[in-house]
Amino acid sequence: MWEYFTDPVYAVYAISLCLFIPVFLLGVIAQIRVQTVFAKYNGISSSSGISAETYVRNFLESSGVYGIRFAAVRGSLTDNFDPRSKTISLSDTVRGSSAIGAIGVACHEAGHAVQHDKKYFFSSARLKLVPIVNFASRLMWPIFIIGYIFGFASPYTAVGRIFIYAGLVVMGLSMLFSFVTLPTEFDASRRAYKYLKTCLLPEEAKGVKKVLNAAAMTYVASFMMSSLQFIRLLALLLMSRRRD
């Protein structure tokens, strides 16, 4: 029993279990915060009265990026940039709004368009990982369900280890995707803020930065969760091999 407290592998597994709830709560808090910060600054109009979409168009033009399409998307904070079709989709609460929060969110997506045009390394890497991660994730869930139904999921059986290895691959890809996403999102926000602080009042620019920082924390929480899941599965596999 003492090995659970002295063996590093058992300790790592125990720590990963203990951290699951705090990291999960961090993700929930980050989501709540981005909603509340956006709601606050989306109620404060910029002194210019210019719409978020116009700011985006000006940002793209000043960055030498052309040929970007615009589309409308329903919902709140559903804004996105699709590099395959070179389309920026702006939500109902952002597109025509002149609020500080809307401007920050819209220009963040424009930042992704600039990244794509300039062939930013992490942005290109994330784009290549998307189909691989999606395929692996879709394949993994049926495998796990079958494994649990037939009792194959135990790490102390040969077949069970196959499931653990498969889980490690999927979680590893997910962790890699989250890792690549971090600099991509931070860089898009950096580009947006760098542009906006030249055309907004100082207090308005501070509001934009708070919105962008709140959004960034959701990606940090996602990376922490995927890393924790990978570490837990790896420790579980090492524990099963030691038991043999």
Side-chain angles (χ1 to χ4, degrees):
M1 191 70 176
W2 183 247
E3 64 180 346
Y4 286 95
F5 300 96
T6 58
D7 191 297
V9 174
Y10 286 100
V12 168
Y13 182 73
I15 291 171
S16 68
L17 289 179
C18 293
L19 288 177
F20 180 82
I21 293 179
V23 172
F24 174 78
L25 290 176
L26 176 64
V28 173
I29 292 170
Q31 289 291 345
I32 293 173
R33 176 163 173 74
V34 74
Q35 293 283 350
T36 54
V37 172
F38 175 72
K40 174 183 177 180
Y41 287 100
N42 213 38
I44 303 175
S45 296
S46 67
S47 57
S48 66
I50 299 173
S51 71
E53 183 175 337
T54 301
Y55 271 104
V56 167
R57 292 181 184 276
N58 293 340
F59 177 22
L60 293 174
E61 185 177 348
S62 69
S63 302
V65 179
Y66 303 97
I68 301 297
R69 298 170 54 198
F70 287 82
V73 61
R74 292 185 177 278
S76 176
L77 293 177
T78 51
D79 312 82
N80 64 87
F81 169 67
D82 185 351
R84 296 165 299 180
S85 60
K86 293 186 178 181
T87 302
I88 294 177
S89 297
L90 298 178
S91 63
D92 299 332
T93 56
V94 167
R95 187 172 64 257
S97 174
S98 61
I100 295 170
I103 293 169
V105 169
C107 285
H108 173 85
E109 298 308 326
H112 285 307
V114 176
Q115 287 176 337
H116 182 69
D117 183 78
K118 307 303 181 186
K119 295 180 172 54
Y120 178 63
F121 173 78
F122 288 105
S123 176
S124 300
R126 185 173 71 165
L127 181 60
K128 292 177 181 178
L129 282 172
V130 168
I132 300 173
V133 173
N134 287 343
F135 175 76
S137 298
R138 285 196 299 267
L139 188 64
M140 196 64 238
W141 283 112
I143 291 175
F144 268 127
I145 291 172
I146 293 171
Y148 278 112
I149 290 175
F150 291 98
F152 294 150
S154 171
Y156 305 116
T157 65
V159 178
R161 282 186 197 145
I162 293 175
F163 285 92
I164 299 298
Y165 278 119
L168 277 173
V169 171
V170 174
M171 291 303 170
L173 286 171
S174 176
M175 183 176 68
L176 178 60
F177 183 77
S178 295
F179 174 75
V180 171
T181 295
L182 281 177
T184 304
E185 296 298 332
F186 277 104
D187 181 73
S189 291
R190 180 190 65 80
R191 293 173 190 265
Y193 180 69
K194 183 179 179 180
Y195 168 73
L196 289 173
K197 72 178 182 180
T198 65
C199 48
L200 292 176
L201 296 177
E203 285 302 314
E204 294 173 344
K206 286 182 181 179
V208 165
K209 193 168 188 178
K210 288 181 180 179
V211 172
L212 296 175
N213 287 343
M217 286 307 299
T218 62
Y219 296 102
V220 173
S222 176
F223 173 67
M224 291 176 65
M225 178 58 74
S226 61
S227 300
L228 199 61
Q229 294 282 42
F230 178 80
I231 292 170
R232 184 181 67 84
L233 282 175
L234 180 60
L236 187 63
L237 179 64
L238 293 174
M239 287 164 55
S240 69
R241 294 182 67 177
R242 286 190 178 190
R243 180 169 175 172
D244 292 342

